[in-house]
Amino acid sequence: MADNGAGLLDQLKSCIVWSWAYFWTIWFFVMLFLVNILRLPFRYDSLTTVSMFLNTLTPKFYVALTGTSSLISGLILIFEWWYFRKYGTSFIEQVSVSHLRPLLGGVDNSTPTNTNTSNGDADSNRQSVSECKVWRNPLNLFRGAEYNRYTWVTGREPLTYYDMNLSAQDHQTFFTCDSDHLRPADAIMQKAWRERNPQARISAAHEALELEDCATAYILLAEEEATTIVEAEKLFKQALKAGEGCYRRSQQLQHHGSQYEAQHRRDTNVLVYIKRRLAMCSRKLGRTREAVKMMRDLMKEFPLLSMFNIHENLLESLLELQNYADVQAVLAKYDDISLPKSATICYTAALLKARAVSDKFSPEAASRRGLSTAEMNAVEAIHRAVEFNPHVPKYLLEMKSLILPPEHILKRGDSEAIAYAFFHLQHWKRVEGALNLLHCTWEGTFRMIPYPLEKGHLFYPYPICTETADRELLPMFHEVSVYPKKELPFFILFTAGLCSFTAMLALLTHQFPELMGVFAKAFLSTLFAPLNFIMEKVESILPSSLWHQLTRI
C-alpha cells in the first residue's frame, strides 16, 4: 500500500478498535457493578433501585472515583511516554497493529525488503565524518549575470556574507600559490581575491590584464562583471586561451621542485574551473549536447578531480536531454558505497526508479492489491533519498517556495535541498506521475527510521548542526527548513487528554462536591435514559411471562 494511505488506514483502524474496546470495557464494568453489587434481578424495577442507590452516593465517592481515574490514566500516560521515548512508537498502537490489524485484514508493508543494501550502506557510512562540512555548490550561479540581476529586480541580497567569505577562501586556495610574486599579474590577483568590495576586485582584475593575459583575471570578470551569460562565455573563452598556455608551461616544469609543483597544481585548478564554467554556459544557453561533451571530456582528462563533483553537472544535463540510459550509467559509477552521497545522486536514482511505475501508479489501487516489485523498489529509493535529505520533497512538491541556491551547500541540509530542487524540479515534472508518487510515499520514511531520529537507518546519523549552518548559508528572508520530528502518537495525546480531564473533574469535585454530585446524577440519568426507553418498549411488546423467564436466565 502507499505509505500515506496505509498510515491513515492504520490510524483509523486503531482508533475504531480501541474506541470500541474502551466503550465496551466501561459498559462491562457498569453491568458487572449493577449485577454483582446490587444482587438484584435484571428487570425494570432494578433501574429504580439503581437510581435510588446513586442518590445515596456521597460527594466523597465522586472525588475518589475521578481521582482514581486520573491516577490510572496518568500512569498509562507515563508508561506510553517512556515507551515512545525509547522505541519511537506507542505501545497501545503497536499492539493494535501487531495483533488486531491482521484480524482486520491489514498487511504491513512498511518493513524494507532490501536488508542487504540497508546494512551495507549503514555499516559503510557509520564512520567518523565531519558533521558540518560545507561543500562548493556544483551548480552555483554566476554573480554578475544571475545573482546581481536578482538584486536589481528585488532589492534583496541572495548571498550571505558567510557564503561569500567561503567563496573568497576557495578562490585563494584554487587560484593562488606561493610563487605568484614572480608574475606581476598574479600578484595583483592574489590581492584581488582578498578584497571584500566587488568594485575593488573588478578594478584589480582590469589592472592585471593591462600587464598580461591573466586567466584568473578573466575568471573574476566573467563571474562578477559580466551581466549576461553570453558575455561571461566570451570572457571564459579568453581565460581558456590564457589558462592553457600557463598549464602547458607549468606541466613541463612540475617535477623541478615544490615551487613548480604548487604552480602546476594551481594552473590545473584554473584550467578545470574554466572548462567547467564554459560547459555550464553552454548548458544555460541551450547547447546541452555540447555541454555534455565538454563535461565528459573534462572528466576523462582529469579523472582524479572528483572533489569538484562534475558528474552532478553531467547528470543534470543528461536529464535535460532525457537520456535516462546514460544517467543510469553515471549513477552506477558514482552511487557507490565508498563515495560520499548527495541529494543529486539519491534523488536522481529515485526518479529513475519512479519513472518505471509512476505513470500508472494509483494510491487507491496500490492499497487494494499491494505494491508490485517495481513499485516497491521505487518507494524504497524514495525512502532512501528522503532519509538522506528530508528537505527536498517540500520544494519538489512546491510546498515551500524556492530561492536562488547559495554558492555553498551543506549536504543533507536545507541549502542542498534548495540547490537540488532549483535545477531538478523541471526533470521531476517531466516524468508523468513522479511527483504524485513522491507525494504519496515520502512521509512514510520517518516511520521507518529508528528513534531517536539521530540514529539513522540507511545512512550515518543525521547531523544535528545542519540548521545552524544553513542559517549562515541562506539569506535572512528565507525560512530555513528543519529536520521533521516524529509526531506524538494518537494514544499518547488521547491518554494525556483523558488524564487532564479526569484530574480536572477530581479537582472540581473536591472544591464543589454538591454541585458536581448534581452534575454526576444528571449525567448518569441522561446516560440511562435510552436504556429506560428501550426497557419500556420491550415490556410493552413482549409477554410478561416470557420477560419473566428471560430475567431469570
Side-chain angles (χ1 to χ4, degrees), residues 473-495:
L473 288 171
L474 298 172
M476 292 294 296
F477 58 82
H478 173 72
E479 182 182 355
V480 175
S481 177
V482 296
Y483 193 91
K485 302 297 181 184
K486 278 197 173 184
E487 297 180 357
L488 289 177
F490 165 77
F491 288 104
I492 287 185
L493 300 176
F494 174 77
T495 310

PDB file of all heavy atoms in Angstrom, residues 473-495:
ATOM      1  N   LEU A 473      24.257  30.030   5.787  1.00  0.00           N
ATOM      2  CA  LEU A 473      24.416  29.972   4.338  1.00  0.00           C
ATOM      3  C   LEU A 473      23.266  30.629   3.584  1.00  0.00           C
ATOM      4  O   LEU A 473      23.466  31.139   2.480  1.00  0.00           O
ATOM      5  CB  LEU A 473      24.535  28.510   3.885  1.00  0.00           C
ATOM      6  CG  LEU A 473      25.832  27.775   4.216  1.00  0.00           C
ATOM      7  CD1 LEU A 473      25.700  26.294   3.888  1.00  0.00           C
ATOM      8  CD2 LEU A 473      27.003  28.387   3.459  1.00  0.00           C
ATOM      9  N   LEU A 474      22.077  30.603   4.144  1.00  0.00           N
ATOM     10  CA  LEU A 474      20.885  31.070   3.435  1.00  0.00           C
ATOM     11  C   LEU A 474      20.500  32.469   3.892  1.00  0.00           C
ATOM     12  O   LEU A 474      20.718  32.843   5.048  1.00  0.00           O
ATOM     13  CB  LEU A 474      19.727  30.097   3.677  1.00  0.00           C
ATOM     14  CG  LEU A 474      19.977  28.671   3.162  1.00  0.00           C
ATOM     15  CD1 LEU A 474      18.878  27.734   3.623  1.00  0.00           C
ATOM     16  CD2 LEU A 474      20.097  28.666   1.652  1.00  0.00           C
ATOM     17  N   PRO A 475      19.910  33.254   2.992  1.00  0.00           N
ATOM     18  CA  PRO A 475      19.579  34.655   3.331  1.00  0.00           C
ATOM     19  C   PRO A 475      18.511  34.745   4.410  1.00  0.00           C
ATOM     20  O   PRO A 475      17.753  33.802   4.670  1.00  0.00           O
ATOM     21  CB  PRO A 475      19.077  35.220   1.990  1.00  0.00           C
ATOM     22  CG  PRO A 475      18.660  34.032   1.194  1.00  0.00           C
ATOM     23  CD  PRO A 475      19.573  32.922   1.600  1.00  0.00           C
ATOM     24  N   MET A 476      18.420  35.923   5.018  1.00  0.00           N
ATOM     25  CA  MET A 476      17.531  36.120   6.161  1.00  0.00           C
ATOM     26  C   MET A 476      16.062  35.992   5.773  1.00  0.00           C
ATOM     27  O   MET A 476      15.242  35.575   6.583  1.00  0.00           O
ATOM     28  CB  MET A 476      17.782  37.496   6.783  1.00  0.00           C
ATOM     29  CG  MET A 476      19.139  37.626   7.455  1.00  0.00           C
ATOM     30  SD  MET A 476      19.290  36.555   8.903  1.00  0.00           S
ATOM     31  CE  MET A 476      18.042  37.254   9.963  1.00  0.00           C
ATOM     32  N   PHE A 477      15.714  36.374   4.536  1.00  0.00           N
ATOM     33  CA  PHE A 477      14.300  36.347   4.158  1.00  0.00           C
ATOM     34  C   PHE A 477      13.785  34.936   3.899  1.00  0.00           C
ATOM     35  O   PHE A 477      12.585  34.745   3.665  1.00  0.00           O
ATOM     36  CB  PHE A 477      14.054  37.228   2.922  1.00  0.00           C
ATOM     37  CG  PHE A 477      14.866  36.850   1.713  1.00  0.00           C
ATOM     38  CD1 PHE A 477      14.481  35.821   0.880  1.00  0.00           C
ATOM     39  CD2 PHE A 477      16.034  37.547   1.408  1.00  0.00           C
ATOM     40  CE1 PHE A 477      15.227  35.477  -0.229  1.00  0.00           C
ATOM     41  CE2 PHE A 477      16.788  37.211   0.292  1.00  0.00           C
ATOM     42  CZ  PHE A 477      16.378  36.174  -0.531  1.00  0.00           C
ATOM     43  N   HIS A 478      14.654  33.933   3.940  1.00  0.00           N
ATOM     44  CA  HIS A 478      14.229  32.552   3.717  1.00  0.00           C
ATOM     45  C   HIS A 478      14.023  31.853   5.053  1.00  0.00           C
ATOM     46  O   HIS A 478      14.866  31.937   5.953  1.00  0.00           O
ATOM     47  CB  HIS A 478      15.275  31.799   2.899  1.00  0.00           C
ATOM     48  CG  HIS A 478      15.003  30.336   2.764  1.00  0.00           C
ATOM     49  ND1 HIS A 478      13.991  29.830   1.976  1.00  0.00           N
ATOM     50  CD2 HIS A 478      15.592  29.250   3.353  1.00  0.00           C
ATOM     51  CE1 HIS A 478      13.980  28.522   2.066  1.00  0.00           C
ATOM     52  NE2 HIS A 478      14.929  28.137   2.884  1.00  0.00           N
ATOM     53  N   GLU A 479      12.898  31.172   5.187  1.00  0.00           N
ATOM     54  CA  GLU A 479      12.622  30.388   6.386  1.00  0.00           C
ATOM     55  C   GLU A 479      13.296  29.029   6.257  1.00  0.00           C
ATOM     56  O   GLU A 479      12.931  28.219   5.407  1.00  0.00           O
ATOM     57  CB  GLU A 479      11.116  30.207   6.568  1.00  0.00           C
ATOM     58  CG  GLU A 479      10.745  29.437   7.820  1.00  0.00           C
ATOM     59  CD  GLU A 479       9.251  29.226   7.951  1.00  0.00           C
ATOM     60  OE1 GLU A 479       8.514  29.767   7.112  1.00  0.00           O
ATOM     61  OE2 GLU A 479       8.839  28.491   8.871  1.00  0.00           O
ATOM     62  N   VAL A 480      14.296  28.803   7.095  1.00  0.00           N
ATOM     63  CA  VAL A 480      15.093  27.579   6.997  1.00  0.00           C
ATOM     64  C   VAL A 480      14.246  26.372   7.371  1.00  0.00           C
ATOM     65  O   VAL A 480      13.517  26.380   8.367  1.00  0.00           O
ATOM     66  CB  VAL A 480      16.332  27.667   7.909  1.00  0.00           C
ATOM     67  CG1 VAL A 480      17.107  26.357   7.912  1.00  0.00           C
ATOM     68  CG2 VAL A 480      17.235  28.803   7.452  1.00  0.00           C
ATOM     69  N   SER A 481      14.338  25.343   6.549  1.00  0.00           N
ATOM     70  CA  SER A 481      13.634  24.089   6.824  1.00  0.00           C
ATOM     71  C   SER A 481      14.437  23.277   7.835  1.00  0.00           C
ATOM     72  O   SER A 481      15.670  23.226   7.766  1.00  0.00           O
ATOM     73  CB  SER A 481      13.463  23.287   5.522  1.00  0.00           C
ATOM     74  OG  SER A 481      12.849  22.049   5.770  1.00  0.00           O
ATOM     75  N   VAL A 482      13.738  22.654   8.773  1.00  0.00           N
ATOM     76  CA  VAL A 482      14.400  21.859   9.812  1.00  0.00           C
ATOM     77  C   VAL A 482      13.993  20.400   9.654  1.00  0.00           C
ATOM     78  O   VAL A 482      13.004  20.069   8.997  1.00  0.00           O
ATOM     79  CB  VAL A 482      14.050  22.364  11.221  1.00  0.00           C
ATOM     80  CG1 VAL A 482      14.567  23.771  11.421  1.00  0.00           C
ATOM     81  CG2 VAL A 482      12.544  22.321  11.463  1.00  0.00           C
ATOM     82  N   TYR A 483      14.747  19.526  10.263  1.00  0.00           N
ATOM     83  CA  TYR A 483      14.511  18.087  10.142  1.00  0.00           C
ATOM     84  C   TYR A 483      13.146  17.732  10.737  1.00  0.00           C
ATOM     85  O   TYR A 483      12.838  18.121  11.860  1.00  0.00           O
ATOM     86  CB  TYR A 483      15.605  17.303  10.865  1.00  0.00           C
ATOM     87  CG  TYR A 483      15.627  15.835  10.535  1.00  0.00           C
ATOM     88  CD1 TYR A 483      16.394  15.352   9.491  1.00  0.00           C
ATOM     89  CD2 TYR A 483      14.865  14.937  11.253  1.00  0.00           C
ATOM     90  CE1 TYR A 483      16.421  14.000   9.183  1.00  0.00           C
ATOM     91  CE2 TYR A 483      14.873  13.583  10.960  1.00  0.00           C
ATOM     92  CZ  TYR A 483      15.654  13.124   9.927  1.00  0.00           C
ATOM     93  OH  TYR A 483      15.663  11.790   9.622  1.00  0.00           O
ATOM     94  N   PRO A 484      12.308  17.020   9.990  1.00  0.00           N
ATOM     95  CA  PRO A 484      10.969  16.678  10.515  1.00  0.00           C
ATOM     96  C   PRO A 484      11.072  15.827  11.769  1.00  0.00           C
ATOM     97  O   PRO A 484      11.792  14.838  11.803  1.00  0.00           O
ATOM     98  CB  PRO A 484      10.338  15.879   9.364  1.00  0.00           C
ATOM     99  CG  PRO A 484      11.130  16.248   8.154  1.00  0.00           C
ATOM    100  CD  PRO A 484      12.520  16.534   8.632  1.00  0.00           C
ATOM    101  N   LYS A 485      10.346  16.231  12.773  1.00  0.00           N
ATOM    102  CA  LYS A 485      10.309  15.484  14.026  1.00  0.00           C
ATOM    103  C   LYS A 485       9.140  14.504  14.018  1.00  0.00           C
ATOM    104  O   LYS A 485       8.107  14.756  13.412  1.00  0.00           O
ATOM    105  CB  LYS A 485      10.173  16.437  15.222  1.00  0.00           C
ATOM    106  CG  LYS A 485      11.296  17.456  15.312  1.00  0.00           C
ATOM    107  CD  LYS A 485      12.637  16.800  15.519  1.00  0.00           C
ATOM    108  CE  LYS A 485      13.751  17.839  15.644  1.00  0.00           C
ATOM    109  NZ  LYS A 485      15.074  17.222  15.763  1.00  0.00           N
ATOM    110  N   LYS A 486       9.336  13.390  14.723  1.00  0.00           N
ATOM    111  CA  LYS A 486       8.252  12.430  14.830  1.00  0.00           C
ATOM    112  C   LYS A 486       7.119  13.019  15.660  1.00  0.00           C
ATOM    113  O   LYS A 486       7.350  13.561  16.736  1.00  0.00           O
ATOM    114  CB  LYS A 486       8.744  11.134  15.474  1.00  0.00           C
ATOM    115  CG  LYS A 486       9.440  10.198  14.501  1.00  0.00           C
ATOM    116  CD  LYS A 486       9.521   8.796  15.066  1.00  0.00           C
ATOM    117  CE  LYS A 486      10.068   7.825  14.033  1.00  0.00           C
ATOM    118  NZ  LYS A 486      10.079   6.447  14.523  1.00  0.00           N
ATOM    119  N   GLU A 487       5.908  12.920  15.131  1.00  0.00           N
ATOM    120  CA  GLU A 487       4.754  13.413  15.863  1.00  0.00           C
ATOM    121  C   GLU A 487       4.376  12.419  16.973  1.00  0.00           C
ATOM    122  O   GLU A 487       4.584  11.216  16.854  1.00  0.00           O
ATOM    123  CB  GLU A 487       3.578  13.605  14.911  1.00  0.00           C
ATOM    124  CG  GLU A 487       3.840  14.655  13.846  1.00  0.00           C
ATOM    125  CD  GLU A 487       2.649  14.823  12.928  1.00  0.00           C
ATOM    126  OE1 GLU A 487       1.664  14.067  13.105  1.00  0.00           O
ATOM    127  OE2 GLU A 487       2.707  15.694  12.047  1.00  0.00           O
ATOM    128  N   LEU A 488       3.787  12.975  18.035  1.00  0.00           N
ATOM    129  CA  LEU A 488       3.356  12.120  19.137  1.00  0.00           C
ATOM    130  C   LEU A 488       2.231  11.208  18.659  1.00  0.00           C
ATOM    131  O   LEU A 488       1.318  11.645  17.950  1.00  0.00           O
ATOM    132  CB  LEU A 488       2.863  12.976  20.302  1.00  0.00           C
ATOM    133  CG  LEU A 488       3.937  13.743  21.082  1.00  0.00           C
ATOM    134  CD1 LEU A 488       3.277  14.601  22.147  1.00  0.00           C
ATOM    135  CD2 LEU A 488       4.936  12.790  21.716  1.00  0.00           C
ATOM    136  N   PRO A 489       2.274   9.924  19.012  1.00  0.00           N
ATOM    137  CA  PRO A 489       1.199   9.012  18.620  1.00  0.00           C
ATOM    138  C   PRO A 489      -0.149   9.453  19.180  1.00  0.00           C
ATOM    139  O   PRO A 489      -0.231  10.166  20.186  1.00  0.00           O
ATOM    140  CB  PRO A 489       1.627   7.666  19.225  1.00  0.00           C
ATOM    141  CG  PRO A 489       3.097   7.785  19.416  1.00  0.00           C
ATOM    142  CD  PRO A 489       3.360   9.232  19.715  1.00  0.00           C
ATOM    143  N   PHE A 490      -1.206   8.982  18.548  1.00  0.00           N
ATOM    144  CA  PHE A 490      -2.560   9.370  18.927  1.00  0.00           C
ATOM    145  C   PHE A 490      -2.864   9.003  20.380  1.00  0.00           C
ATOM    146  O   PHE A 490      -3.483   9.781  21.111  1.00  0.00           O
ATOM    147  CB  PHE A 490      -3.563   8.694  17.984  1.00  0.00           C
ATOM    148  CG  PHE A 490      -4.974   8.716  18.479  1.00  0.00           C
ATOM    149  CD1 PHE A 490      -5.734   9.872  18.384  1.00  0.00           C
ATOM    150  CD2 PHE A 490      -5.549   7.594  19.065  1.00  0.00           C
ATOM    151  CE1 PHE A 490      -7.036   9.905  18.843  1.00  0.00           C
ATOM    152  CE2 PHE A 490      -6.846   7.615  19.523  1.00  0.00           C
ATOM    153  CZ  PHE A 490      -7.597   8.776  19.412  1.00  0.00           C
ATOM    154  N   PHE A 491      -2.422   7.832  20.812  1.00  0.00           N
ATOM    155  CA  PHE A 491      -2.825   7.361  22.128  1.00  0.00           C
ATOM    156  C   PHE A 491      -2.090   8.072  23.250  1.00  0.00           C
ATOM    157  O   PHE A 491      -2.581   8.105  24.377  1.00  0.00           O
ATOM    158  CB  PHE A 491      -2.653   5.840  22.224  1.00  0.00           C
ATOM    159  CG  PHE A 491      -3.669   5.102  21.428  1.00  0.00           C
ATOM    160  CD1 PHE A 491      -3.347   4.527  20.228  1.00  0.00           C
ATOM    161  CD2 PHE A 491      -4.978   5.033  21.870  1.00  0.00           C
ATOM    162  CE1 PHE A 491      -4.297   3.862  19.485  1.00  0.00           C
ATOM    163  CE2 PHE A 491      -5.940   4.379  21.138  1.00  0.00           C
ATOM    164  CZ  PHE A 491      -5.606   3.783  19.937  1.00  0.00           C
ATOM    165  N   ILE A 492      -0.924   8.641  22.981  1.00  0.00           N
ATOM    166  CA  ILE A 492      -0.289   9.482  23.999  1.00  0.00           C
ATOM    167  C   ILE A 492      -1.100  10.758  24.182  1.00  0.00           C
ATOM    168  O   ILE A 492      -1.356  11.206  25.308  1.00  0.00           O
ATOM    169  CB  ILE A 492       1.169   9.786  23.597  1.00  0.00           C
ATOM    170  CG1 ILE A 492       2.036   8.541  23.785  1.00  0.00           C
ATOM    171  CG2 ILE A 492       1.724  10.943  24.420  1.00  0.00           C
ATOM    172  CD1 ILE A 492       3.495   8.767  23.537  1.00  0.00           C
ATOM    173  N   LEU A 493      -1.523  11.355  23.068  1.00  0.00           N
ATOM    174  CA  LEU A 493      -2.351  12.557  23.152  1.00  0.00           C
ATOM    175  C   LEU A 493      -3.703  12.236  23.806  1.00  0.00           C
ATOM    176  O   LEU A 493      -4.207  13.010  24.627  1.00  0.00           O
ATOM    177  CB  LEU A 493      -2.563  13.135  21.756  1.00  0.00           C
ATOM    178  CG  LEU A 493      -1.295  13.542  20.997  1.00  0.00           C
ATOM    179  CD1 LEU A 493      -1.637  14.012  19.589  1.00  0.00           C
ATOM    180  CD2 LEU A 493      -0.557  14.648  21.744  1.00  0.00           C
ATOM    181  N   PHE A 494      -4.279  11.079  23.420  1.00  0.00           N
ATOM    182  CA  PHE A 494      -5.566  10.684  23.992  1.00  0.00           C
ATOM    183  C   PHE A 494      -5.453  10.465  25.499  1.00  0.00           C
ATOM    184  O   PHE A 494      -6.293  10.934  26.285  1.00  0.00           O
ATOM    185  CB  PHE A 494      -6.057   9.413  23.297  1.00  0.00           C
ATOM    186  CG  PHE A 494      -7.308   8.836  23.899  1.00  0.00           C
ATOM    187  CD1 PHE A 494      -8.540   9.404  23.639  1.00  0.00           C
ATOM    188  CD2 PHE A 494      -7.243   7.729  24.738  1.00  0.00           C
ATOM    189  CE1 PHE A 494      -9.699   8.874  24.193  1.00  0.00           C
ATOM    190  CE2 PHE A 494      -8.388   7.193  25.295  1.00  0.00           C
ATOM    191  CZ  PHE A 494      -9.629   7.770  25.018  1.00  0.00           C
ATOM    192  N   THR A 495      -4.394   9.763  25.921  1.00  0.00           N
ATOM    193  CA  THR A 495      -4.220   9.479  27.347  1.00  0.00           C
ATOM    194  C   THR A 495      -3.928  10.764  28.118  1.00  0.00           C
ATOM    195  O   THR A 495      -4.400  10.938  29.247  1.00  0.00           O
ATOM    196  CB  THR A 495      -3.068   8.478  27.550  1.00  0.00           C
ATOM    197  OG1 THR A 495      -3.246   7.355  26.696  1.00  0.00           O
ATOM    198  CG2 THR A 495      -3.012   8.003  28.986  1.00  0.00           C
TER     199      THR A 495
END
